[in-house]
Amino acid sequence: MTTAKKPTLEQRVAARFRLDVAKHQLTVLHDDGLYRHLRCLAPGDSSHWFDLITWPGTLTIKGDMGSYTFSRTQDMLDFFRRSAWGGGPNLQYWEEKLDAADRHAGVREYSEELLRQHIADDLAALAESGDVTADYLAGLHEELDDELLGELPTWCIEDEGEALAGVRQFEYRPGREEPFTFESTEWDVRDWAWHYVWCCHAIIWGIAAYDRAKAGKPAPALTAAATTEPDSQQEPVLVAAGATEETSR
């Protein structure tokens, strides 16, 4: 039986984003050449609201999910249109264009999931090498549960510093042979921050909504992959330019 592959963080954020903005509308607060102020939120609900603000050479997104400022070309809407990756966020390239990242969420954060994957990869490589017995592997797994991976381990791997310290100090020595240790010095256990990925999706959505509004079309419809009732999601629409609807901060 084949085990279903767990969605990546980027896939989970994309699915969640579709739900979060399913009822959003675009309001054009200001539109004068490269100076623009676009507001995106659901009517009567400021949850997951965001603004896109541009001036020559810069775009800022701010809202419920954080604030990020990017700089690259004079027309930053055009920059994001051209550099999107397969219609989705170009996370690494856009990171290089950041002038400022949200002070709370940042761009990258510790991922317990990545740490567990590194451990699993090392154990799989050891098992495939044929250098150890089944009893050795069973004992190793038991020791790992006690120290790192069990319900009440010695080290709390929810915390980055403690997790890495626990991995570095882990040794399994059932006999007199050399102990098993993890080669963890090159491990990368930091993944994209959820808020950064969400905001990159929001930039794409906001620009698409703006482009469609300029062409007299409804904003982009999103089918919410994480819901069992995709037909119930309302298609976002354009609100009259110059509207002054306020959001709660």
Side-chain angles (χ1 to χ4, degrees):
M1 182 177 178
T2 303
T3 303
K5 189 175 182 181
K6 185 177 180 180
T8 65
L9 178 138
E10 295 172 44
Q11 291 169 331
R12 297 196 300 273
V13 176
R16 183 68 231 183
F17 177 80
R18 296 183 184 105
L19 289 175
D20 292 339
V21 304
K23 297 181 180 180
H24 272 35
Q25 296 179 349
L26 167 71
T27 302
V28 180
L29 298 177
H30 187 81
D31 191 8
D32 180 14
L34 299 179
Y35 298 88
R36 313 175 185 93
H37 188 172
L38 314 178
R39 176 155 296 166
C40 305
L41 78 167
D45 183 2
S46 62
S47 178
H48 298 101
W49 73 273
F50 62 93
D51 284 357
L52 298 181
I53 304 166
T54 69
W55 61 97
T58 306
L59 177 145
T60 288
I61 178 170
K62 60 176 292 186
D64 257 359
M65 297 297 283
S67 300
Y68 297 85
T69 298
F70 301 82
S71 293
R72 179 61 177 88
T73 61
Q74 283 290 97
D75 187 349
M76 287 299 291
L77 295 195
D78 189 57
F79 165 75
F80 282 105
R81 291 186 196 103
R82 292 175 179 272
S83 59
W85 187 263
N90 195 340
L91 297 172
Q92 185 167 334
Y93 181 56
W94 292 355
E95 179 191 18
E96 297 171 4
K97 311 309 174 188
L98 274 170
D99 276 351
D102 187 80
R103 64 192 179 98
H104 298 296
V107 177
R108 296 176 185 266
E109 59 191 2
Y110 165 66
S111 169
E112 180 185 334
E113 183 178 340
L114 285 181
L115 180 86
R116 288 179 176 272
Q117 187 59 56
H118 281 299
I119 292 174
D121 290 344
D122 276 18
L123 294 180
L126 179 64
E128 292 172 3
S129 71
D131 295 336
V132 296
T133 65
D135 287 342
Y136 181 98
L137 288 172
L140 174 55
H141 279 278
E142 184 176 345
E143 186 76 10
L144 271 172
D145 283 345
D146 290 341
E147 294 291 320
L148 293 164
L149 304 181
E151 293 185 2
L152 295 172
T154 302
W155 300 89
C156 175
I157 64 172
E158 293 179 0
D159 176 78
E160 180 178 9
E162 188 167 345
L164 291 176
V167 168
R168 285 193 296 268
Q169 295 186 38
F170 179 83
E171 288 189 355
Y172 177 63
R173 190 198 299 264
R176 295 182 178 179
E177 64 266 25
E178 285 293 315
F180 170 84
T181 60
F182 290 106
E183 297 293 334
S184 60
T185 55
E186 301 298 322
W187 285 7
D188 181 3
V189 295
R190 299 187 70 78
D191 204 350
W192 298 111
W194 182 285
H195 287 66
Y196 171 67
V197 180
W198 195 100
C199 284
C200 288
H201 278 283
I203 290 171
I204 293 174
W205 189 96
I207 293 173
Y210 172 76
D211 290 343
R212 291 176 66 85
K214 297 283 278 188
K217 299 178 180 180
L222 292 173
T223 300
T227 179
T228 58
E229 298 178 345
D231 293 339
S232 67
Q233 304 302 318
Q234 298 180 12
E235 182 176 279
V237 296
L238 172 69
V239 178
T244 57
E245 183 175 7
E246 294 294 329
T247 62
S248 63
R249 296 300 194 267

